[in-house]
C-alpha cells in the first residue's frame, strides 16, 4: 500500500513538472537548432533563425483558413 502511494506520488510529481503545449516544444526545438549552428566546425553559411512561435502560429492559421475542405 505504501509502495503504491509512493509510486502514485512520483507519477503525479513528474506529470506536474512536464511542460505542456506546442509553444514550449517549438521554442525548445528552435533553441536547440540555434545552438547547433554555432558549434565549432560548422560551416560559415548559417541558416536564418526560424520565426518565433507567434509568427509560426499566425502563418499556420493563415494557411489553414485558405485550405479547401
Amino acid at each position: 500500500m505504501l509502495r503504491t502511494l509512493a509510486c502514485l506520488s512520483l507519477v503525479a510529481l513528474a506529470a506536474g513538472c512536464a511542460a505542456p503545449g506546442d509553444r514550449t516544444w517549438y521554442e525548445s526545438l528552435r533553441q536547440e537548432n540555434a545552438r547547433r549552428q554555432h558549434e565549432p566546425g560548422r560551416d560559415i553559411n548559417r541558416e536564418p533563425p526560424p520565426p518565433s512561435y507567434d509568427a509560426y502560429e499566425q502563418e499556420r492559421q493563415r494557411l489553414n483558413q485558405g485550405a479547401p475542405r
Side-chain angles (χ1 to χ4, degrees):
M1 177 71 176
L2 186 57
R3 179 178 268 170
T4 304
L5 184 59
C7 288
L8 288 175
S9 297
L10 288 175
V11 169
L13 181 64
C17 292
D22 294 334
R23 177 184 297 271
T24 304
W25 178 82
Y26 182 86
E27 290 298 331
S28 65
L29 184 64
R30 188 169 75 101
Q31 289 173 0
E32 178 64 18
N33 287 340
R35 183 191 65 78
R36 286 184 178 181
Q37 283 191 351
H38 295 284
E39 288 178 341
R42 291 280 300 185
D43 293 342
I44 298 301
N45 297 332
R46 293 188 168 92
E47 297 175 9
S52 68
Y53 180 80
D54 293 328
Y56 160 76
E57 186 64 26
Q58 286 176 350
E59 179 67 12
R60 196 173 78 111
Q61 291 296 326
R62 185 184 68 80
L63 292 173
N64 282 341
Q65 288 175 354
R69 297 195 180 226

